[in-house]
Amino acid sequence: MKAPADYLSHLNPAQRSAVEHFCGPLLVVAGAGSGKTRTLTYRVAHLIRNHSVDPENILAVTFTNKAAREMQERIQLIFAQQLAEQTYSHPLESLPLQEQTALRSRAYKRYIKPLWMGTFHSLFARLLRFDIDKYRDEKERKWERNFTIYDESDAQSLVKNIVTRQFDLDEKKFDPRSIRYAIGNAKNLGHSPQDFAREQQNYRGRVIGEIYDAYQTRLAENNALDFDDLLLVPARLFEQNESILGYWHDRFRHVLVDEYQDTNRIQYRLIRLLSTNGEPHRDRWSWQQRSIFVVGDADQSIYSFRMADFKILLEFQEDFGDGLPDDDTRTMVKLEENYRSRSNILEAANALIELNTERIDKVLRPTRGCGATIYCYKADNELVEAQFVRDRILDLRRADPELDWGSFAILYRTNAQSRALEDALRSEIPYIIVGGLKFYDRKEVKDALAYLRALVNPADTVSLLRIINTPRRGIGQATVDRLVAAARELGMPLWHVLQDETSVKTLAGRSAKAVQRFALTLQTWQSQVTERSAAEILDGILSDSGYYSDLQNQGTDEATSRLENLKELANAVIQFAEENEDLSLEGFLANASLASDLDNLEEGQQAVSAMTLHSAKGLEFPVVFLVGLEQGLFPHNRAIDDPAALEEERRLCYVGITRAREQLFLSFTRERRLWGMAREPALQSQFLQELPSELLESNIVPQRLPRKSVERDRPTVGTVSATAAIQNWQIGDRVIHQTLGPGEVTLVMGEGAKTTLGIKFPGLGTKIFDPKFAPMRRVEASAN
């Protein structure tokens, strides 16, 4: 198909340059609000329209499933519009609704359905449904294609069972949660149990290695994978089977990755394997009819605790690209025009992030006017801070009828800060805590999913154990333990024992009939898995198992709420079938296992959103309150003495600031109570000191200078002279800080205009400052 001449005319030059790139590597450095989703969307459409790339040859990785759905909808609209012009010679929106729907359906089937688009986990889980039966790990453990995906609570339960029952260890000394975290980190680094064990130098580490090994054995016995396996297993499969890697390398000729700064080493390994067919020698790579197109921003890398490594992005030019300077390279494009935030918000964000040293230089350029001044509020304590947020939201709503409750977001560093805010909002303002208990983590939903998993994958003992006496059917824990022990002794799945009438009568005693009825119910619906839709199976198994009637008989408000959640689960099953043209139970379960709370955050909801800064990534709101800007809270106390961690905290602040479209409010307190402790004095965050003073208004400064035009040599909050930036700072220099008093330089990072100092203050520990902005002066140079 030939695209119209003005097809890309609405893109800016940088966006267009990225979209029109065809073969070979390209890094798109996309600043906040710079239109990266539009760029990715048109990139995919352009490959298909202008270069006749088959949609099934495109692999597009997004950060959330929600982002994938949004991109698919945009691409579908692009092609539906094209079909309208070709078929009717009229724009899509001018056609009757019936014709529009028909064209959208044609576009979906022809262009969207064959696309491989989604998160790393969803895409590679899909890939494993084809090939996991060809995989063997280092101990010859194997899995079948109908594997179950365990969520984090399932995985932690399994680890706890191994620690306390199989190894008989003290939970206080070998905390199952921390062991599960260690196993997850090992997998994200690509380490097997044997790899992990070889690196351990002490007894505890070696025991964790043994638990990791036992955990993998139990997963295999259950024909189950955890989230981390969804990436580790395909990487190892590719490396051990050249023909399988060759097939998928040939299949995915154009690989796109969004949020590349948030990839970890195992994700990078997968992308590199698919793009290069595992060829280690760069001079043998062929980019003919092939590309790798990654989009990201090192300034927004905030997930190191999930093993994300932003250096993967920083190394792209040396790894895949031409390695030339920014002005000369042909393998990097920068998107710097911001279409989201007012110019004063961008100026504050730019000034803050420029202080980081590990980044690719870029400056967000505003496309919108100045907007309201950023307001910084000092509160006596966290209760007063919460009242300020509540009152300002109410004031803004009264002043501007166009602002609804969903226009506001409250961002904080830790979940512990939400309590005071909830207390203040509860009586007058509807709100939602993002990142609270997720829909798929609710007990009744997990119970229902366990029934469905047991139907699809009878080897899934974890799901069987969850539902064997849920609802209560007179099967005690002692009986369950005997059944499990027998299965383990016989070396077979629990389900095999449950199906055997003689074994059940021998082991279950008085509970035998209940166990047999339970097994018969599952057998009945297992036979229907390929015959009926997922919605019918859900309704049938919850009815026949007695789950519905048990909740109905309870008659409590809680039971009614649980029934409503199960109805919502049924709606989710139907919606999945409609959106994906997939009625299968297996398809729905794979989707449900990979759902996240951010996927369920609806646009235009009539409630204020309150969330951690980490949860806010990828979102935007007209009005943002960034609260708790105090030293030790934000930046977090763990980061203050660690330059790399402090830079990530600054990136987190940058992300928070750039969530705001129209107005930004910052706040800190004089004292705060956190984590059940007594109130403690608080100091304002150094990040506030790093913002240009002419962009801020505050309740602690009675008079501000007139607002100046945006200029690079801006005034600052600090009182030190501009020459401080170029002083030859050395360890041992003595300073006087306006607020903190005398201190000594203990760390010097960077040089010239990018110098930052670690300064130790008696009784307060070490704080990190930029000498250009900090309100301090040097009083004594080091003798060195």
Side-chain angles (χ1 to χ4, degrees):
M1 301 178 189
K2 184 173 177 58
D6 63 348
Y7 169 56
L8 304 177
S9 61
H10 61 292
L11 301 179
N12 68 41
Q15 291 172 337
R16 183 162 192 147
S17 175
V19 166
E20 292 182 329
H21 173 83
F22 182 31
C23 292
L26 188 71
L27 166 63
V28 180
V29 179
S34 62
K36 71 180 179 66
T37 302
R38 168 181 283 192
T39 302
L40 280 162
T41 299
Y42 277 90
R43 162 73 174 169
V44 172
H46 198 67
L47 286 172
I48 299 169
R49 290 179 59 144
N50 282 51
H51 298 290
S52 301
V53 174
D54 192 317
E56 70 173 15
N57 294 141
I58 297 173
L59 180 78
V61 185
T62 59
F63 192 62
T64 63
N65 292 308
K66 180 181 178 183
R69 289 195 298 270
E70 290 175 352
M71 282 183 59
Q72 288 170 340
E73 289 168 2
R74 294 189 192 191
I75 296 167
Q76 181 182 0
L77 179 59
I78 289 170
F79 284 107
Q81 289 170 334
Q82 184 185 27
L83 289 171
E85 293 288 351
Q86 292 175 340
T87 308
Y88 299 103
S89 299
H90 288 291
L92 179 69
E93 59 272 14
S94 70
L95 300 176
L97 184 59
Q98 185 174 355
E99 276 79 5
Q100 290 188 42
T101 302
L103 290 174
R104 286 175 181 268
S105 179
R106 281 175 58 191
Y108 176 82
K109 290 177 181 177
R110 187 169 178 181
Y111 301 109
I112 305 304
K113 197 169 184 181
L115 270 176
W116 280 56
M117 179 177 288
T119 63
F120 271 105
H121 292 89
S122 64
L123 290 170
F124 285 97
R126 180 180 173 187
L127 184 149
L128 288 174
R129 297 290 179 190
F130 291 92
D131 285 325
I132 195 170
D133 54 329
K134 305 176 186 70
Y135 171 71
R136 299 290 184 275
D137 75 1
E138 63 283 346
K139 283 201 169 179
E140 293 299 312
R141 289 175 283 231
K142 61 182 180 179
W143 286 258
E144 300 301 325
R145 294 182 184 183
N146 64 333
F147 61 84
T148 294
I149 302 171
Y150 282 174
D151 64 18
E152 192 54 36
S153 64
D154 295 326
Q156 287 190 11
S157 295
L158 187 55
V159 170
K160 182 176 180 178
N161 182 277
I162 293 168
V163 169
T164 59
R165 297 199 171 194
Q166 185 172 339
F167 282 70
D168 195 25
L169 295 170
D170 184 349
E171 280 189 71
K172 293 180 180 178
K173 294 181 179 178
F174 291 89
D175 174 43
R177 185 179 295 271
S178 64
I179 291 173
R180 167 68 190 111
Y181 184 74
I183 292 172
N185 284 351
K187 290 185 177 183
N188 283 318
L189 291 171
H191 295 166
S192 69
Q194 286 65 40
D195 297 330
F196 181 88
R198 278 193 294 269
E199 293 185 354
Q200 303 310 308
Q201 303 297 319
N202 56 45
Y203 169 74
R204 176 182 172 78
R206 290 191 292 274
V207 171
I208 293 175
E210 292 175 9
I211 294 170
Y212 179 8
D213 190 61
Y215 173 69
Q216 290 305 108
T217 297
R218 295 282 288 277
L219 285 174
E221 289 173 352
N222 285 271
N223 192 30
L225 300 176
D226 64 24
F227 267 34
D228 305 310
D229 286 322
L230 297 178
L231 305 180
L232 179 60
V233 170
R236 289 187 171 269
L237 175 61
F238 287 162
E239 290 167 342
Q240 70 181 221
N241 194 314
E242 291 182 2
S243 64
I244 292 176
L245 173 58
Y247 171 82
W248 293 108
H249 168 74
D250 188 59
R251 171 72 174 272
F252 298 131
R253 304 192 66 81
H254 296 276
V255 177
L256 300 88
V257 186
D258 192 13
E259 305 288 5
Y260 194 63
Q261 78 280 349
D262 293 325
T263 53
N264 61 34
R265 286 293 162 180
I266 198 70
Q267 291 166 340
Y268 163 75
R269 201 159 121 195
L270 284 165
I271 292 303
R272 187 180 177 95
L273 284 165
L274 282 175
S275 298
T276 68
N277 202 26
E279 171 56 58
H281 301 290
R282 179 173 174 147
D283 56 357
R284 297 179 187 172
W285 295 351
S286 172
W287 293 110
Q288 185 176 3
Q289 300 297 310
R290 175 177 295 282
S291 68
I292 176 169
F293 182 96
V294 305
V295 181
D297 179 10
D299 292 340
Q300 297 184 72
S301 176
I302 59 174
Y303 294 113
S304 65
F305 65 94
R306 296 180 186 169
M307 303 302 289
D309 186 351
F310 72 98
K311 291 183 180 178
I312 292 171
L313 182 144
L314 296 180
E315 294 164 358
F316 180 90
Q317 283 289 70
E318 296 299 325
D319 201 6
F320 288 104
D322 55 28
L324 297 174
D326 291 5
D327 293 338
D328 302 322
T329 181
R330 300 184 66 179
T331 55
M332 180 170 69
V333 172
K334 296 180 183 180
L335 306 184
E336 297 178 292
E337 289 188 52
N338 177 282
Y339 297 92
R340 175 190 300 162
S341 303
R342 293 290 184 177
S343 64
N344 58 326
I345 295 173
L346 290 187
E347 177 67 8
N350 285 333
L352 181 75
I353 204 63
E354 282 176 1
L355 302 178
N356 273 10
T357 58
E358 293 192 291
R359 59 190 300 262
I360 296 174
D361 283 338
K362 71 175 190 319
V363 176
L364 292 179
R365 296 192 297 271
T367 59
R368 308 179 64 213
C370 194
T373 305
I374 300 169
Y375 188 80
C376 180
Y377 180 76
K378 179 180 180 180
D380 283 342
N381 55 51
E382 74 279 4
L383 303 179
V384 177
E385 179 184 55
Q387 291 165 6
F388 163 76
V389 172
R390 178 200 63 197
D391 293 346
R392 190 54 60 98
I393 290 174
L394 292 172
D395 290 344
L396 290 170
R397 280 264 294 162
R398 283 191 287 266
D400 186 351
E402 292 188 7
L403 290 174
D404 56 31
W405 296 121
S407 300
F408 301 92
I410 308 169
L411 310 182
Y412 36 78
R413 180 61 181 83
T414 69
N415 277 310
Q417 294 170 253
S418 69
R419 195 269 313 161
L421 292 161
E422 287 192 72
D423 287 347
L425 299 177
R426 188 172 286 119
S427 60
E428 298 180 77
I429 297 175
Y431 68 92
I432 181 172
I433 301 295
V434 179
L437 186 62
K438 295 182 284 188
F439 177 75
Y440 287 102
D441 281 347
R442 292 170 178 154
K443 179 188 182 302
E444 62 277 10
V445 175
K446 287 184 71 67
D447 290 343
L449 291 177
Y451 271 104
L452 298 181
R453 286 174 172 178
L455 299 182
V456 170
N457 175 22
D460 182 359
T461 298
V462 170
S463 292
L464 284 172
L465 291 175
R466 183 180 183 95
I467 61 176
I468 193 170
N469 198 41
T470 304
R472 295 186 184 279
R473 47 177 67 93
I475 304 173
Q477 188 59 49
T479 298
V480 172
D481 289 344
R482 284 194 296 272
L483 292 166
V484 170
R488 185 165 292 280
E489 284 294 322
L490 294 169
M492 61 175 58
L494 175 63
W495 176 241
H496 288 190
V497 175
L498 297 181
Q499 291 181 99
D500 184 73
E501 185 175 343
T502 302
S503 298
V504 169
K505 286 182 176 178
T506 303
L507 295 166
R510 289 179 297 177
S511 302
K513 288 186 178 180
V515 174
Q516 289 171 342
R517 283 195 297 270
F518 170 72
L520 180 61
T521 301
L522 291 187
Q523 285 175 323
T524 301
W525 283 101
Q526 280 171 358
S527 67
Q528 300 296 310
V529 164
T530 57
E531 306 296 325
R532 298 205 190 187
S533 70
E536 292 173 319
I537 294 169
L538 173 66
D539 184 64
I541 191 65
L542 292 184
S543 296
D544 289 0
S545 67
Y547 200 96
Y548 276 151
S549 59
D550 180 67
L551 288 175
Q552 290 163 349
N553 292 337
Q554 289 178 31
T556 63
D557 289 342
E558 181 182 356
T560 300
S561 177
R562 292 187 187 281
L563 282 167
E564 289 172 353
N565 285 334
L566 290 174
K567 290 178 184 176
E568 184 58 33
L569 179 63
N571 290 338
V573 173
I574 295 168
Q575 181 179 333
F576 172 80
E578 291 174 348
E579 290 180 351
N580 297 275
E581 297 186 355
D582 183 355
L583 298 177
S584 74
L585 180 57
E586 191 172 286
F588 169 73
L589 284 175
N591 179 73
S593 297
L594 297 163
S596 79
D597 52 338
L598 293 183
D599 293 333
N600 300 321
L601 185 62
E602 297 296 331
E603 295 290 336
Q605 64 180 4
Q606 289 301 303
V608 173
S609 295
M611 68 191 85
T612 65
L613 284 148
H614 285 99
S615 295
K617 181 76 192 315
L619 305 177
E620 59 182 73
F621 301 88
V623 183
V624 167
F625 293 83
L626 181 46
V627 302
L629 277 156
E630 294 141 36
Q631 203 73 358
L633 179 59
F634 191 34
H636 198 279
N637 191 55
R638 291 191 302 265
I640 291 176
D641 294 328
D642 181 341
L646 183 62
E647 290 211 352
E648 176 149 338
E649 292 286 297
R650 189 177 284 112
R651 292 194 293 269
L652 192 56
C653 189
Y654 173 82
V655 165
I657 290 172
T658 54
R659 298 311 93 195
R661 293 204 297 261
E662 303 292 336
Q663 286 185 266
L664 174 65
F665 295 88
L666 310 173
S667 64
F668 66 100
T669 66
R670 181 177 57 81
E671 61 178 17
R672 179 179 297 273
R673 176 185 287 126
L674 274 177
W675 304 294
M677 306 293 287
R679 281 206 174 88
E680 295 184 356
L683 293 173
Q684 66 173 285
S685 169
Q686 68 184 79
F687 296 152
L688 289 174
Q689 300 176 37
E690 293 169 359
L691 297 176
S693 63
E694 81 276 12
L695 297 179
L696 303 179
E697 289 184 357
S698 174
N699 66 327
I700 59 172
V701 180
Q703 186 174 359
R704 308 293 292 184
L705 295 174
R707 180 190 254 333
K708 296 185 179 182
S709 61
V710 173
E711 54 191 14
R712 304 312 308 161
D713 55 343
R714 58 186 179 273
T716 69
V717 173
T719 59
V720 73
S721 72
T723 58
I726 56 173
Q727 288 185 34
N728 183 25
W729 290 94
Q730 295 184 29
I731 292 174
D733 287 354
R734 307 285 299 176
V735 302
I736 295 291
H737 189 281
Q738 264 187 4
T739 306
L740 306 180
E744 180 180 342
V745 175
T746 58
L747 184 67
V748 178
M749 299 167 286
E751 58 185 17
K754 288 195 173 183
T755 298
T756 52
L757 305 176
I759 302 175
K760 185 174 183 179
F761 296 92
L764 297 174
T766 302
K767 317 292 182 185
I768 306 296
F769 294 105
D770 187 319
K772 297 193 301 295
F773 305 140
M776 67 181 190
R777 59 188 175 87
R778 183 162 64 179
V779 294
E780 181 183 333
S782 167
N784 294 329

